[in-house]
Amino acid sequence: MKVLSIQSSVAYGHVGNSAAVFPMQRIGVEVLPVFTVHFSNHTGYGAWRGPLLAPEDVREVVTGIQERGALADIDVVLSGYQGGEGIGEVILDAVARVKAANPSAIYACDPVMGNAKSGCFVAPAIPVLLRERVVPHADLITPNQFELGFLTGTEPDTLESTLAAADAARAMGPATVLVTSVERPDRPEGTIEMLAVTPEGAWIVQTPLLPMKANGSGDVTAALFTSHYRATGDAALALARTTSSVFDLLTLTHESGQRELQLVEAQESYAHPRMQFEVRRVR
């Protein structure tokens, strides 16, 4: 499998492509990373250095890949955080070019906007761009529960309302929706869930909620689920593998006391997930 991953890059720490590429490689995926920014570190530190790449520069990199005749071999275009308005059109152009070369390729979009605790942390134009232009062209999206609510104009909280919101998102274009950070009021205390909704059904998995904030964990989740689902066509299996890998990555990070994901140290969790959580069909 080959993935064209158009995301940010940091030298220090692990977010964007700096979080997504290695786990995919560790499970045998060939990744062609295209950077939208190249910062010293992620912006959560409050200070960083390095360039936000111009959309045309990003487009030029994709064009160079196309000139090597590589687009016909791409199975997935994956995108995450979009730092500026212009990058959305560049990503959609890349998707169109890849699908013209390989009609069986899919576009997986992680519509990064914010979360329930921090609110929206991207430029005001980005959520509108994602909702109106980008998501309708995606085959798979991986919003958290907060982002799903914005995309659909709903307030999902219960399992039923989250399923309904996922269906509303699927009606916008994507066939498959992975909802992360699902927090239902009736869930057992100290737990968190992920929900996968496809044309074939819906599945949920529950894990302990670790007392930490981990920048980049959503990027790892989107990358692994997309890769596993594309490889197997089995959403429940992809959900089980991804959940196991990400939970063990977060556990190792929490135990290390470090702020940044222990991405390399947790590599066996990607290659050989323990499959320690039950995936339950809910529809």
Side-chain angles (χ1 to χ4, degrees), residues 145 154-162 182-186 193:
Q145 194 174 32
T154 64
E155 295 185 6
D157 55 358
T158 65
L159 176 58
E160 292 73 21
S161 62
T162 304
V182 176
E183 299 187 56
R184 297 184 288 140
D186 59 343
E193 295 167 316

Side-chain angles (χ1 to χ4, degrees), residues 8-238:
S8 60
S9 170
V10 295
Y12 176 81
H14 300 290
V15 297
N17 267 337
S18 301
V21 171
F22 178 65
M24 287 192 285
Q25 291 173 329
R26 193 63 181 82
I27 63 172
V29 176
E30 180 74 29
V31 186
L32 286 71
V34 176
F35 300 153
T36 56
V37 311
H38 188 55
F39 289 163
S40 55
N41 51 269
H42 68 72
T43 58
Y45 284 95
W48 65 93
R49 296 180 183 271
L52 173 69
L53 299 181
E56 281 309 308
D57 290 335
V58 180
R59 193 188 304 268
E60 280 292 289
V61 174
V62 176
T63 298
I65 295 170
Q66 183 176 28
E67 290 170 347
R68 302 285 72 77
L71 296 192
D73 296 325
I74 299 296
D75 299 290
V76 178
V77 179
L78 173 65
S79 71
Y81 171 73
Q82 300 188 14
E85 296 179 49
I87 198 65
E89 295 302 328
V90 173
I91 292 169
L92 290 177
D93 177 62
V95 170
R97 290 200 240 176
V98 167
K99 288 192 172 188
N102 178 15
S104 68
I106 67 167
Y107 171 37
C109 171
D110 185 8
V112 179
M113 291 179 274
N115 56 61
K117 293 181 176 64
S118 304
C120 209
F121 52 61
V122 297
I126 298 299
V128 178
L129 171 72
L130 287 168
R131 183 180 60 206
E132 296 182 358
R133 288 282 297 133
V134 179
V135 167
H137 289 275
D139 301 287
L140 163 64
I141 60 172
T142 59
N144 60 39
Q145 194 174 32
F146 171 85
E147 292 160 341
L148 178 66
F150 180 87
L151 288 173
T152 59
T154 64
E155 295 185 6
D157 55 358
T158 65
L159 176 58
E160 292 73 21
S161 62
T162 304
L163 282 167
D167 287 339
R170 292 181 60 242
M172 297 167 63
T176 300
V177 178
L178 175 71
V179 190
T180 64
S181 300
V182 176
E183 299 187 56
R184 297 184 288 140
D186 59 343
R187 74 191 189 282
E189 186 177 354
T191 64
I192 195 165
E193 295 167 316
M194 278 203 292
L195 174 71
V197 184
T198 79
E200 288 74 40
W203 295 265
I204 198 165
V205 62
Q206 185 178 95
T207 72
L209 174 61
L210 297 171
M212 62 182 294
K213 176 183 178 182
N215 294 96
S217 59
D219 302 318
V220 176
T221 300
L224 287 176
F225 181 82
T226 297
S227 298
H228 287 310
Y229 186 48
R230 178 62 171 163
T232 67
D234 186 330
L237 179 59

